[in-house]
Each structure stands twice: as C-alpha cells, then as structure tokens.
C-alpha cells in the first residue's frame, strides 16, 4: 500500500508498528539517471534516518543494482529540468 511521503504520515505509520520503504534519492536521482552509471543521491536526504531514530525503528539498507539500465533516459535539457526541480520543491 502506498502512503503520502510526508514526515507526519511516515511517523504515524512507524509508531503504529508498520514498516515503510523509502527511496531517498527522489526526483534528483530520477533526473540525474544515466544508463550504465549507478549514482545515489543521499547527501542532503537524511530525514528518514532522523525519523527512524526518533521512532526507534530499525533501518535495513538495500540497493537494487542495474535499475539505471532498465530504460533509456533523455539527457537533453538536464540543467533546466534540475532548475525546475529545485524551484518547485
């Protein structure tokens, strides 16, 4: 079941004892995807770690190798797409 990705909703699910799956790279990771190049964007995406600590929830790190090779991405206009992503947070 999918739930809203807000901190409030995630915290409520965790305090009820539910497990959640988080893909912290978000839009930035999607926009920067390049076929054949594995890249993880975590440097500014650590709220899920703080939330786990606050709720006493265990973190189970996972990574799926090869996802970047599942489809071709359009690399043109990378700069403007990234600018739009930052502007409309």
């Amino acid at each position: 079941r999918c739930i809203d990705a807000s901190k409030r909703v995630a915290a409520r699910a965790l305090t009820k004892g539910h497990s959640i799956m988080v893909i912290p790279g978000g839009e930035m990771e999607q926009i920067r995807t390049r076929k054949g190049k594995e890249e993880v964007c975590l440097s500014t995406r650590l709220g899920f770690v703080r939330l786990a600590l606050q709720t006493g929830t265990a973190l189970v790190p996972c990574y799926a190798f090869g996802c970047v090779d599942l489809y071709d991405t359009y690399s043109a206009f990378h700069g403007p797409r990234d600018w739009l992503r930052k502007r409309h947070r």
Side-chain angles (χ1 to χ4, degrees), residues 5 39 41 45 47 53 73:
E39 184 176 7
C41 303
R45 311 288 301 206
L53 291 170
T73 56

Side-chain angles (χ1 to χ4, degrees), residues 9-10 28 32-33 37-38 42 56 64 66 73-74 82 86-87:
V9 173
M28 181 171 43
R32 296 177 67 167
T33 296
K37 182 180 178 189
E38 302 282 343
L42 283 179
T73 56
Y74 188 64
D82 199 39
K86 290 176 186 173
R87 182 168 169 93

Side-chain angles (χ1 to χ4, degrees), residues 20-89:
I20 61 173
M21 179 179 155
V22 179
I23 303 173
E27 293 173 327
M28 181 171 43
E29 210 167 87
Q30 292 173 346
I31 289 173
R32 296 177 67 167
T33 296
R34 301 286 185 268
K35 192 167 190 160
K37 182 180 178 189
E38 302 282 343
E39 184 176 7
V40 179
C41 303
L42 283 179
S43 61
T44 61
R45 311 288 301 206
L46 298 174
F48 69 100
V49 175
R50 284 190 296 276
L51 184 58
L53 291 170
Q54 291 168 355
T55 59
T57 304
L59 288 174
V60 181
C62 300
Y63 187 80
F65 289 92
C67 290
V68 297
D69 296 326
L70 293 175
Y71 51 89
D72 291 321
T73 56
Y74 188 64
S75 60
F77 304 110
H78 171 75
R81 288 187 305 171
D82 199 39
W83 177 83
L84 281 171
R85 177 191 63 81
K86 290 176 186 173
R87 182 168 169 93
H88 296 286
R89 280 188 161 173

